[in-house]
């Protein structure tokens, strides 16, 4: 049993903390939202009244927060983790944030004598609840080895992606590819349908041909061929277009900083931004099909 502080108990953090409790860890939980904290208490966490209280006896501190600015504040603020965690505590941030903030927080942690990892996840709320998340981890091998048994209580695949920030880099590069393949898949289904093929016929052909991708075979944006896909429930998420847009923006930010050419990533970001502008970004990201079809 490890004493774990868990900060950020939202859609993802709540079920992740609950899985740590199921794995017999002692979890001290904190969130600014009272409702989130109450749910964590019901799941067996000890509810803390502040970050300071949550981290004071913890051997491991996990955070699952919305964006880079929240992560920086939670770690580096006067009432934050760096100032109040126990000497030698292992710090793990699983939020999806910009690579730059991840790297600077890990560097600051090291200066303060802590080992810290960036460990963003994929698998969504379903994966968080089922304990089947994929973790993409950046940081030292020693810290990764220490974190692995903890992360295994919440995830199925735990990858070491390399040094600090490499977890975030893997996450946004993967999600940029997902965003692009989804739009390409929408365009192909729309074209095939306009040319007279029904979605199922095109799926039967393309899913066994060279146009095949996860976006098509696991998450088909045209209703019908993949019964579990959000396209069959009016694009109720799943993974919302707003969240995809967040990751696309992070990818573009990182691409500019690294001078990496990502022309399709830029175009994909612009298309998900149109969903936001139309007030439809709470739809699943595969709802970009509606934009392509002209019925958003
Ligand atoms: P969420 O908005 O549901 O939860 C975030 C929680 O953080 C909220 O409960 C909020 O009150 C809390 N919070 C914010 N600032 C805080 C602070 N200073 N101290 C304590 N608590 C604070 O978001 P989510 O869906 O759980 O996502 C969390 C992270 O995981 C994000 O970075 C997101 O991009 C990433 N992510 C989400 C999904 C998904 O499908 N939802 C999938 C993969 C990754």
């Amino acid at each position: 049993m490890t004493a774990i502080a868990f900060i950020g108990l939202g859609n993802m953090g709540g079920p992740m903390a609950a899985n740590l409790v199921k794995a017999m860890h002692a979890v001290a939980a904190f969130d600014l939202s009272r409702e989130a904290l109450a749910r964590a208490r019901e799941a067996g966490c000890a509810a803390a009244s502040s970050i300071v209280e949550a981290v004071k006896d913890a051997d491991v501190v996990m955070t699952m927060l919305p964006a880079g600015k929240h992560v920086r504040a939670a770690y580096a603020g006067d009432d934050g983790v760096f100032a109040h965690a126990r000497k030698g505590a292992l710090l793990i941030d699983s939020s999806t944030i910009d690579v730059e903030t991840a790297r600077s927080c890990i560097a600051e942690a090291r200066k303060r004598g802590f080992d810290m990892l960036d460990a963003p996840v994929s698998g969504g709320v379903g994966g968080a609840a089922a304990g089947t998340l994929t973790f993409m981890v950046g940081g030292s091998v020693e810290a990764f080895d220490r974190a692995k048994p903890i992360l295994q209580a919440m995830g199925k695949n735990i990858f070491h992606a390399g040094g600090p920030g490499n977890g975030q880099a893997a996450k946004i590069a993967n999600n940029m590819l997902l965003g692009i393949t989804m739009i390409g898949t929408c365009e192909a289904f729309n074209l095939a349908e306009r040319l007279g093929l029904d979605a199922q016929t095109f799926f039967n052909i393309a899913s066994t041909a060279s146009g095949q991708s996860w976006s098509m075979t696991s998450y088909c944006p045209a209703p019908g061929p993949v019964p579990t896909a959000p396209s069959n429930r009016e694009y109720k998420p799943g993974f919302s277009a707003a969240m995809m847009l967040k990751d696309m923006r992070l990818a573009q930010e990182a691409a500019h900083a690294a001078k990496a050419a990502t022309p399709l990533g830029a175009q994909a970001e612009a298309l998900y931004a149109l969903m936001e502008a139309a007030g439809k970004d709470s739809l699943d990201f595969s709802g970009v099909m509606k934009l392509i079809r002209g019925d958003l």
Side-chain angles (χ1 to χ4, degrees):
M1 182 180 87
T2 304
I4 301 173
F6 205 113
I7 300 160
L9 307 159
N11 293 321
M12 296 293 289
M16 289 165 74
N19 279 329
L20 289 173
V21 171
K22 279 188 206 145
M24 306 307 287
H25 296 299
V27 181
F30 176 66
D31 195 293
L32 295 173
S33 148
R34 277 202 202 157
E35 294 76 33
L37 203 51
R39 276 194 299 274
R41 193 187 286 116
E42 274 166 34
C45 299
S49 59
S50 63
I51 291 180
V52 177
E53 191 190 325
V55 304
K56 69 180 176 16
D57 297 321
D59 298 317
V60 174
V61 177
M62 285 216 60
T63 44
M64 195 53 168
L65 298 165
K69 63 179 181 191
H70 307 96
V71 171
R72 197 184 290 283
Y75 281 93
D78 289 345
D79 295 326
V81 178
F82 292 151
H84 297 278
R86 265 184 12 189
K87 279 259 155 309
L90 174 64
L91 316 181
I92 306 171
D93 178 42
S94 278
S95 326
T96 301
I97 65 169
D98 57 289
V99 176
E100 178 57 37
T101 299
R103 289 187 171 150
S104 74
C105 279
I106 294 176
E108 177 68 18
R110 202 167 281 167
K111 274 193 216 145
R112 306 276 204 121
F114 296 105
D115 255 340
M116 182 170 179
L117 298 164
D118 57 300
V121 300
S122 76
V125 178
T132 56
L133 293 168
T134 293
F135 282 87
M136 294 154 264
V137 185
S140 71
V141 174
E142 297 72 33
F144 176 75
D145 289 343
R146 256 177 96 191
K148 203 170 174 187
I150 307 285
L151 301 182
Q152 277 167 334
M154 299 173 284
K156 201 168 59 173
N157 298 307
I158 323 288
F159 292 107
H160 189 218
N166 278 23
Q168 299 293 350
K171 162 92 187 172
I172 57 168
N174 178 72
N175 277 20
M176 183 183 80
L177 179 58
L178 172 63
I180 292 170
T181 61
M182 181 52 75
I183 293 166
T185 305
C186 291
E187 289 186 2
F189 272 85
N190 186 48
L191 175 64
E193 284 174 33
R194 295 264 170 138
L195 295 174
L197 278 86
D198 63 51
Q200 188 64 53
T201 305
F202 179 62
F203 178 89
N204 294 345
I205 297 166
S207 66
T208 52
S210 48
Q212 184 274 339
S213 70
W214 185 92
S215 291
M216 181 186 296
T217 53
S218 294
Y219 217 80
C220 186
V226 177
T228 51
S231 54
N232 296 302
R233 40 174 210 267
E234 276 148 17
Y235 299 101
K236 188 169 165 283
F239 184 58
S240 71
M243 299 210 95
M244 177 53 88
L245 181 56
K246 174 192 168 184
D247 292 355
M248 287 289 175
R249 285 179 171 147
L250 289 174
Q252 286 306 293
E253 212 178 293
H256 289 144
K259 294 191 165 48
T262 53
L264 290 180
Q267 191 62 51
E269 181 201 342
L271 286 165
Y272 292 111
L274 282 177
M275 289 184 74
E276 179 185 55
K280 300 288 184 189
D281 57 341
S282 61
L283 292 179
D284 187 78
F285 78 108
S286 61
V288 72
M289 185 68 175
K290 287 168 87 68
L291 185 70
I292 299 295
R293 279 187 168 147
D295 66 356
L296 196 63

